[in-house]
């Protein structure tokens, strides 16, 4: 069955397929609350094209990353692939529980998703049992966790998204990912215009959300009128202002440079510089 699962996943655009036995996860892991009968976690990784980043990086187009690299991947490509694989598994008489990252549902009340409009994020009871997607990606062998907290893969570096299937089928596992790509160079930290990444804590989602939306001087849509009367305007535009949940929500209305998409995704105006600089660094070293 494993060969058919891999073939099916790749037929529907998955680039990486990994398998982790349930005993790689702690007994209190959310996967066992979602599906107590879990015996195998299947990870599906999908490359995000290099060209999708180029528009924001080069200042030519600002919706290709958002619509094609985020929205279309999360709402169309990835769900279709995991549903096809899940259907295959259930045709063999097993149970398959697809798990995608619900972009508008947060498991932490004090966090946010920078890619989605704040007023469309849900933080209530049904959000309690969200998988730890980064942890699962490592355990399934999709990639290693980099300094910024992003998953780094052998073929695509940080340019990847992923989803999972929980099943009661026992499938031969592959090895979990072992660190060998990230050399802790720190370029992802310094590339962020909002200084939202730290070596010990990863990404501060509130700080990231503000600068993802364009609260910095390199944003081509920034005007002299934006935040004109704000007493901390220069500190904000220079990335020196530290935002928390309250101050981030307060500044969002001033950052409506481009409209959100149908599913609530906001346009990326930071160029995803953390991922781009990491990708270039790994390419220069011949690691990917």
């Amino acid at each position: 069955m494993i060969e058919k699962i891999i073939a099916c996943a790749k037929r529907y655009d998955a680039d990486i397929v990994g398998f982790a036995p349930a005993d790689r996860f702690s007994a209190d892991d959310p996967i066992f609350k979602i599906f107590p009968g879990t015996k195998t976690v299947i990870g599906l990784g999908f490359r995000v094209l290099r060209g999708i980043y180029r528009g924001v990086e080069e200042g030519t187009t600002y919706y290709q990353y958002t619509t094609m690299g985020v929205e279309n991947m999360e709402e169309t490509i990835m769900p279709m692939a995991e549903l096809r694989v899940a259907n295959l598994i259930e045709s063999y008489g097993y149970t398959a529980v697809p798990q995608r990252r619900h972009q508008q549902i947060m498991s932490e009340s004090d966090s946010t998703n920078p890619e989605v409009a704040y007023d469309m994020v849900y933080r209530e009871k049904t959000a309690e049992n969200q998988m730890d997607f980064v942890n699962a990606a490592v355990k399934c062998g999709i990639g290693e966790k980099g300094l910024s907290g992003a998953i780094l893969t052998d073929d695509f570096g940080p340019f990847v998204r992923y989803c999972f299937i929980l099943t009661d089928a026992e499938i031969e596992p592959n090895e979990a990912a072992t660190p060998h790509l990230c050399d802790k160079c720190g370029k992802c930290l310094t590339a962020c215009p909002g200084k939202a990444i730290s070596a010990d804590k990863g990404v501060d989602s509130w700080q990231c959300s503000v600068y993802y939306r364009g609260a910095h001087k390199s944003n081509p849509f920034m005007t002299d009128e934006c935040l004109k009367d704000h007493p901390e305007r220069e500190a904000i535009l220079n990335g020196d202002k530290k935002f928390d949940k309250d101050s981030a929500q307060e500044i969002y209305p001033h950052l409506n440079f481009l409209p959100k998409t149908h599913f609530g995704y906001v346009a990326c105006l930071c160029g995803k510089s953390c991922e781009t600089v990491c990708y270039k660094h790994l390419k220069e070293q011949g690691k990917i």
Side-chain angles (χ1 to χ4, degrees):
M1 185 169 65
I2 186 171
E3 293 83 3
K4 290 187 177 181
I5 289 174
I6 294 172
C8 179
K10 294 197 171 184
R11 187 182 312 126
Y12 291 99
D13 298 320
D15 296 285
I16 306 169
V17 185
F19 303 86
D23 60 15
R24 278 189 193 159
F25 297 80
S26 63
D28 61 350
D29 193 283
I31 65 170
F32 299 113
K33 296 179 182 178
I34 297 167
F35 180 37
T38 299
K39 293 182 180 178
T40 303
V41 178
I42 303 172
L44 306 179
F46 301 77
R47 71 183 300 180
V48 181
L49 297 175
R50 173 69 181 99
I52 284 175
Y53 287 79
R54 296 303 286 264
V56 186
E57 183 184 356
E58 298 175 3
T60 55
T61 177
Y62 294 88
Y63 271 116
Q64 293 309 312
Y65 173 76
T66 302
T67 57
M68 298 300 291
V70 181
E71 184 176 50
N72 191 49
M73 297 285 288
E74 294 285 347
E75 306 294 341
T76 305
I77 301 299
M78 292 162 57
M80 179 61 70
E82 64 179 334
L83 282 172
R84 292 288 188 175
V85 174
N87 284 339
L88 173 65
I89 293 169
E90 295 213 341
S91 73
Y92 282 92
Y94 298 102
T95 298
V97 184
Q99 291 293 293
R100 52 161 287 198
R101 192 193 303 270
H102 295 284
Q103 299 293 91
Q104 295 164 306
I105 299 177
M106 298 298 300
S107 56
E108 308 91 359
S109 61
D110 59 348
S111 185
T112 193
N113 180 357
E115 296 176 339
V116 179
Y118 173 80
D119 59 1
M120 297 186 73
V121 175
Y122 180 77
R123 300 176 179 82
E124 295 296 337
K125 192 171 183 179
T126 59
E128 292 175 354
N129 294 329
Q130 287 282 320
M131 282 183 65
D132 184 333
F133 280 72
V134 172
N135 176 58
V138 173
K139 284 181 165 53
C140 287
I142 290 176
E144 68 180 78
K145 184 177 179 179
L147 185 64
S148 70
I151 289 296
L152 310 181
T153 66
D154 288 322
D155 290 326
F156 316 117
F159 293 176
V160 66
R161 287 183 174 265
Y162 38 89
C163 57
F164 301 91
I165 297 170
L166 311 180
T167 180
D168 54 359
E170 292 191 39
I171 302 172
E172 182 179 354
N174 51 265
E175 295 294 325
T178 55
H180 63 284
L181 295 173
C182 182
D183 59 8
K184 316 298 182 187
C185 70
K187 290 186 177 182
C188 56
L189 279 63
T190 56
C192 176
K195 304 179 179 67
I197 310 171
S198 65
D200 57 338
K201 297 181 180 179
V203 177
D204 180 324
S205 62
W206 295 107
Q207 189 79 4
C208 174
S209 69
V210 171
Y211 290 92
Y212 186 97
R213 286 163 169 75
H216 50 88
K217 290 183 176 179
S218 56
N219 172 10
F221 298 99
M222 181 60 66
T223 67
D224 293 337
E225 295 301 313
C226 181
L227 301 173
K228 180 179 179 180
D229 299 321
H230 198 291
E232 296 181 278
R233 185 177 193 272
E234 283 304 305
I236 293 172
L237 299 189
N238 289 330
D240 296 325
K241 164 71 174 175
K242 182 65 177 176
F243 287 92
D244 57 17
K245 179 169 66 174
D246 294 332
S247 56
Q249 292 177 52
E250 183 181 340
I251 208 76
Y252 289 158
H254 300 281
L255 305 177
N256 290 325
F257 299 105
L258 294 172
K260 60 191 175 187
T261 70
H262 175 69
F263 286 100
Y265 292 95
V266 295
C268 174
L269 293 177
C270 67
K272 291 296 286 185
S273 52
C274 56
E275 292 185 2
T276 301
V277 73
C278 176
Y279 178 87
K280 289 179 178 179
H281 179 63
L282 294 173
K283 285 284 284 185
E284 289 168 359
Q285 292 188 318
K287 290 185 175 181
I288 59 172

